[in-house]
Amino acid sequence: MKKFSLLNISLAVVIGLTAASCQKDFLNRYPQTSIPPDLFFKSEEDLNLYVTGLLSMADRGRYVSDQDTDDKATTGAMEIKSMMTGTPSSQTITGGWSWGRLRNINYFLDNYHNAGVTQEVKDHYAGLARYYRALFYMDKVKRFSDVPWYAHAMDPGDSVSLYKPRDPRKLIMDSVMADLEFAAAKVKESVPAGTPGKWAVKLAQARIALHEGTYRKYHSELKLEATADAFLQTAAKVSEEIISSGKFQLHNTGNPATDYYALFSSANLANNKEVMLVNIFDQDLKKNGGNNGNINNYEQSPSRDLVQTYLMKDGSRFTDKPGYQTMQYVQEFADRDPRLSQTFFYPGFKLAVNPPAVANPYILRLNKNFTGYHQLKGYMNSTDSKVIDGADFPVHRYAEVLLIFAEAKAELGTLTQGDLDRSITLIRQRAGMPALVMATANAAPDPLQVAKYPNVKGANTGVILEIRREKRVEFAMEGYRFDDLMRWNAGKNLEKIPEGMYFPGLGKYDLTGDGVEDIILIDKGTAIPPSGSQQTNSLGVKLVYYKAGSFGEDVTVYLRNGNAGGTIVTETRTRDFQEPKYYYRPVPFNELVLNPKLAPQLFDWK
């Protein structure tokens, strides 16, 4: 049985926001050792202390999230992968049913009005609390769909509310949008750096409206298709308000080779006009954000499918090029969307070395179960720990606003070329790419995109698919892909096991782009020679040796056709994404025992 405790409050400091006891206790009372609300919620300082304690933002760990999508391969025990390859039930899928944070939020909303401050000040902090409550419930809806709605901290004797059944998704999402509407109207624009203000709230409002609108449109099992447009209209309206404010712009110095990457490698994003909410990291402030090891130690590796999604630099499709399926690494990166080489280690990339010197091009490491591609986004190419630990994280980017605007209007059928020119075209221009032309996209939709998203229909099919491509590329490795696949009813894409680079067979290969071989793939039955006997290339540098073979053999590189070559294979277990079941999670079995009214489970979960 899980227990949850209320926020402990001292005279000057909010101590902790943790949960620890039973659901009943969590929803009932504040700790006896805490100062009662009538003695604490007196001043703006009190309100600020409490709400600051609720602050929760994404951080640099997002660069290593989305390991459960078609963007990455990983050996980690990711929940969705385990579901697709196992026999999940409410007894094995037990995460996500935690409510301590909601108790902390509602406790504030029940008591903030006692403070002796102006209504404007009260509304600002209440708006922030309701913003946090909306985010909390959105996460619950994404996972469980129907959940109990609690607008207040429960009274100890209110057993009816404590053990209530789940409320329908429609009620929950109406309440979420009401919270966001209030927050967007009341939260101040001017707030301390690193905390959400009015415009960050509005972005969340637009994002959540787009998520729910597209989810209802593409998930017929909810029987809410008729209500989808109202959410899409909100997404379009709010994103346009942000655009029209003129307060934000894409980070663009006119250098498409570096402007995009600078967003993910900067020590100071607080004044960046694109970053609407920043998570600030600074070693001097004892807040370290370094995660180089997590990115570059094969915790995960990008997929070939993601690499192939990027367009050519002239805007044409890479997958329309003859022989693209057998192109090798160096060829794949030639004349592509510049964001590809700002997201992945590219041929010729040089790692920083210590002491500083002229570094040699980095030779990609190959290993079992991974794709061979390396992630660059989020990686700090430095040997200075202060630089590595001091890179800020862009929690909210204006680029997302532009994508929300374009997608919402495309889904509503109201998108124009003018809309694209003030949204997607700006994103592409920053990267040195040509504009997206609506008529061209709709006239000849990409057949590979059509296969990924077969439920997209109508006159705007082509442009919707290109907007989805743009979202995947622009926000690759930033933690958005899983939610996007879920809301688009595209979970079947997760059945395809991520693959890696292509090698036509055994032999020597150039991985740095200088035309000189760097590695050699040898037969599984051949011993790697001792260092003194290893072959060197024309530069006099020893080749890196790898044994190649089929999956499961005693080798270091798994190829689709073993010694005969093919793409790198990361695993072989068959994946089965059951629809609509796997778009949701069951209420954990133990919670049903505590509260039988939470039954029945949705969508065939047991």
Side-chain angles (χ1 to χ4, degrees), residues 243 249-252 256 274 311 313 315 337-339 398-407 415-441 463 466-467 469-471 474:
I243 294 169
Q249 63 187 42
L250 297 178
H251 175 68
N252 188 351
E274 179 170 346
L311 298 171
K313 192 173 183 178
D337 181 333
R339 287 172 292 185
Y398 181 58
E400 185 184 0
V401 175
L402 302 181
L403 282 158
I404 290 170
F405 173 75
E407 184 179 352
L415 183 75
T416 67
Q417 185 61 46
D419 294 328
L420 282 177
D421 290 342
R422 59 196 289 238
S423 56
I424 303 299
T425 294
L426 298 180
I427 295 174
R428 288 193 173 186
Q429 284 178 342
R430 187 254 297 279
M433 296 287 291
L436 172 59
V437 179
M438 185 173 176
T440 302
V463 76
E466 289 307 314
I467 291 170
R469 182 201 304 274
E470 199 66 29
K471 176 66 179 296
E474 176 68 20

Side-chain angles (χ1 to χ4, degrees), residues 323-396:
Y324 82 91
Q325 292 172 315
T326 57
M327 283 188 182
Q328 297 176 47
Y329 170 67
V330 173
Q331 293 175 288
E332 289 179 308
F333 278 71
D335 299 319
R336 302 293 296 280
D337 181 333
R339 287 172 292 185
L340 180 63
S341 291
Q342 296 172 70
T343 304
F344 292 74
F345 280 30
Y346 52 87
F349 175 80
K350 295 181 179 181
L351 279 178
V353 294
N354 191 23
V358 179
N360 293 319
Y362 178 69
I363 301 170
L364 299 180
R365 293 178 297 130
L366 307 183
N367 210 333
K368 290 187 292 189
N369 303 115
F370 297 96
T371 64
Y373 301 110
H374 289 18
Q375 177 180 334
L376 178 59
K377 181 184 280 189
Y379 180 81
M380 296 300 294
N381 192 27
S382 174
T383 60
D384 185 336
S385 64
K386 191 169 184 177
V387 172
I388 295 170
D389 288 335
D392 290 345
F393 180 75
V395 180
H396 290 341

Side-chain angles (χ1 to χ4, degrees), residues 509-519 537-541 543:
Y509 295 96
D510 168 28
L511 294 184
T512 60
D514 60 1
V516 178
E517 296 92 347
D518 304 295
I519 70 169
N537 60 24
S538 60
L539 300 176
V541 178
L543 298 175

Side-chain angles (χ1 to χ4, degrees), residues 144-318:
F144 302 106
S145 197
D146 296 352
V147 291
W149 173 264
Y150 292 104
H152 301 281
M154 292 296 101
D155 183 272
D158 189 358
S159 59
V160 174
S161 295
L162 288 173
Y163 296 105
K164 64 182 290 187
R166 290 192 276 180
D167 290 303
R169 184 187 188 112
K170 188 176 185 302
L171 182 151
I172 301 298
M173 288 309 303
D174 286 348
S175 301
V176 165
M177 297 310 294
D179 274 350
L180 290 169
E181 186 72 25
F182 179 90
K186 303 299 184 182
V187 171
K188 296 178 182 179
E189 181 175 343
S190 179
V191 295
T195 63
K198 169 184 176 178
W199 298 106
V201 171
K202 280 186 172 290
L203 190 155
Q205 183 184 19
R207 176 194 293 165
I208 288 173
L210 178 70
H211 186 284
E212 187 64 9
T214 49
Y215 203 100
R216 293 187 183 195
K217 179 174 180 177
Y218 290 107
H219 284 268
S220 60
E221 72 273 7
L222 294 178
K223 297 179 173 56
L224 293 173
E225 297 99 315
T227 63
D229 279 5
F231 285 88
L232 294 172
Q233 287 162 359
T234 297
K237 172 179 173 290
V238 175
S239 57
E240 185 155 25
E241 287 174 2
I242 299 172
I243 294 169
S244 299
S245 75
K247 295 181 179 294
F248 307 98
Q249 63 187 42
L250 297 178
H251 175 68
N252 188 351
T253 70
N255 190 342
T258 60
D259 282 340
Y260 179 70
Y261 179 69
L263 291 164
F264 317 107
S265 58
S266 173
N268 183 12
L269 291 176
N271 297 315
N272 189 297
K273 294 281 285 183
E274 179 170 346
V275 181
M276 300 173 65
L277 179 60
V278 59
N279 198 338
I280 298 171
F281 291 92
D282 190 328
Q283 195 178 74
D284 291 340
L285 300 176
K286 309 299 182 185
K287 189 178 179 185
N288 299 337
N291 60 346
N292 273 5
N294 290 336
I295 290 176
N296 199 32
N297 73 349
Y298 274 116
E299 181 173 318
Q300 80 284 306
S301 55
S303 68
R304 194 166 199 243
D305 185 79
L306 176 57
V307 172
Q308 293 179 344
T309 298
Y310 289 73
L311 298 171
M312 301 300 295
K313 192 173 183 178
D314 64 5
S316 62
R317 298 191 287 250
F318 171 75

